[in-house]
Amino acid sequence: MIELPVVSKETEERKRKPNWLRVKLPIGPEYAKVRKLVDENKLHTICESGNCPNMGECWGAGTATFMILGNVCTRSCSFCAVATGRPPEYDQEEPKRVAEAIKTMGVKHAVITSVNRDELKDRGAEIWYQTVVQTKALSPTTTIETLIPDVKGNWEALERMIEGGQEVVSHNMETVQDLYRRVRPQAKYDRSLEELHRIKEFGKRSKSGAMLGLGETDEQIFKLMDDLAEVKLDILTLGQYLQPTKMHHEVIDYVHPDKFEFFKEEGLKRGIKYVESGPLVRSSYHAERHVHV
Ligand code: SF4
């Protein structure tokens, strides 16, 4: 049982949602088109499963982040809204449906992610490979970013996941090392760093993301940036953690936009080529900007 922090009255006060977290409502013709496409093709998106605040803006711009290998995860990260449990059989036809949807959307840049399938020997690597290859076949000019899970040290599976021709491969650290037990209990900090190192070794543009507001200190964030610079990370995203439900990890702090700007400078100073940092930033937010870093 993950022990989540008990929040004091004083923090309650500090926790009123500030106005810089106001978001665009998911409405409009483009939004409706994406909605229809996702429903008709029985597709999953992290936009919905993850309660992403930018759904209105992204779908309104005709783009979405598809989630493959189903919408049930074998893990229970305390910040994540995705359902946890024993996933059903995965669908061999899913790569084709995702590739067709991306073709229909006609997006310049497509982002694909997945739940963790720790119960699968190949961690879902073959479905990943097929999804990228079939998307490239139908949309040769569309660049692809794959936000891949923790392969639990199965480096053969990692290679299969990233050899399909995608331009950017991201794997999120999510938080600082000292909060792993409470925020990402089934993951290991050093193992995720190793995964990013191998992505880079494989010649891919590497990307990672973390949330702020879970109780981390500035020093802990600097250490995370130093460790990511060490594995020659290209792109870092930093965004505000938002609590999906009362059952999930509390928001300890709403970090001011100026502080995000400060961390952006600190990341660039440490040699990370591109830092996207702001309260509403998420891994795939404005991801099309990260392709040619
Ligand atoms: S592994 Fe990913 S999808 Fe699964 S609970 Fe953690 S963050 Fe959510």
Side-chain angles (χ1 to χ4, degrees):
M1 179 62 192
I2 309 172
E3 227 175 281
L4 293 179
V6 179
V7 169
S8 66
K9 189 103 199 59
E10 180 263 331
T11 311
E12 277 299 330
E13 288 312 309
R14 211 172 55 225
K15 255 189 8 182
R16 208 137 287 123
K17 218 181 204 178
N19 59 18
W20 59 72
L21 286 170
R22 287 212 203 301
V23 290
K24 193 169 172 296
L25 280 181
I27 46 174
E30 272 305 314
Y31 173 83
K33 247 196 308 186
V34 176
R35 174 81 275 156
K36 190 161 171 287
L37 191 77
V38 167
D39 296 346
E40 279 172 3
N41 292 283
K42 297 197 294 310
L43 293 167
H44 302 297
T45 67
I46 190 65
C47 321
E48 294 170 283
S49 294
N51 289 358
C52 181
N54 301 315
M55 198 167 141
E57 183 185 340
C58 296
W59 288 32
T63 180
T65 298
F66 292 108
M67 187 164 78
I68 59 174
L69 292 161
N71 61 353
V72 177
C73 184
T74 49
R75 297 194 176 184
S76 53
C77 303
S78 62
F79 64 87
C80 181
V82 173
T84 294
R86 187 161 182 72
E89 263 316 296
Y90 61 73
D91 175 352
Q92 298 278 3
E93 293 307 304
E94 189 178 47
K96 185 164 162 291
R97 292 206 312 279
V98 170
E100 284 164 356
I102 290 171
K103 173 125 181 94
T104 310
M105 287 166 102
V107 286
K108 276 200 307 36
H109 182 63
V111 185
I112 303 164
T113 189
S114 86
V115 293
N116 249 78
R117 297 292 300 253
D118 294 316
E119 91 286 7
L120 298 174
K121 199 161 166 306
D122 79 341
R123 311 283 185 252
E126 195 50 35
I127 290 286
W128 266 107
Y129 176 78
Q130 290 304 331
T131 304
V132 174
V133 166
Q134 294 185 34
T135 299
K136 277 284 175 199
L138 288 185
S139 313
T141 59
T142 296
T143 53
I144 298 176
E145 172 180 325
T146 52
L147 171 51
I148 63 171
D150 168 11
V151 293
K152 249 184 153 178
N154 182 339
W155 306 129
E156 214 182 299
L158 174 67
E159 233 169 91
R160 188 62 173 161
M161 275 182 192
I162 66 177
E163 65 185 0
Q166 59 268 61
E167 283 76 11
V168 180
V169 179
S170 39
H171 173 63
N172 284 344
M173 298 299 290
E174 307 291 9
T175 187
V176 297
Q177 184 163 26
D178 298 345
L179 295 184
Y180 256 55
R181 227 169 58 73
R182 167 167 115 208
V183 173
R184 234 184 143 207
Q186 291 101 345
K188 289 195 170 39
Y189 184 85
D190 293 335
R191 189 171 65 202
S192 280
L193 278 178
E194 172 71 16
E195 187 159 327
L196 287 163
H197 169 65
R198 287 171 179 262
I199 289 167
K200 197 67 194 155
E201 292 279 294
F202 201 79
K204 292 290 178 183
R205 222 171 255 105
S206 61
K207 175 175 172 179
S208 190
M211 298 162 286
L212 305 185
L214 289 157
E216 68 290 330
T217 65
D218 292 9
E219 285 63 41
Q220 290 169 336
I221 298 169
F222 298 153
K223 179 182 179 307
L224 171 65
M225 290 179 183
D226 290 335
D227 292 341
L228 290 170
E230 182 86 23
V231 295
K232 301 191 177 39
L233 187 80
D234 294 307
I235 305 144
L236 173 63
T237 63
L238 296 172
Q240 169 71 50
Y241 166 61
L242 295 174
Q243 187 186 38
T245 73
K246 285 273 170 256
M247 300 303 292
H248 289 87
H249 196 295
E250 294 276 351
V251 174
I252 305 298
D253 261 320
Y254 286 112
V255 179
H256 192 279
D258 295 352
K259 197 73 188 279
F260 277 102
E261 202 46 43
F262 164 73
F263 286 128
K264 175 177 177 165
E265 298 315 316
E266 288 296 321
L268 295 171
K269 251 196 275 174
R270 284 167 167 77
I272 298 171
K273 285 198 202 129
Y274 192 98
V275 181
E276 187 92 52
S277 180
L280 288 172
V281 168
R282 295 292 178 270
S283 318
S284 44
Y285 190 51
H286 296 166
E288 71 285 351
R289 297 181 190 167
H290 308 155
V291 179
H292 303 296
V293 165

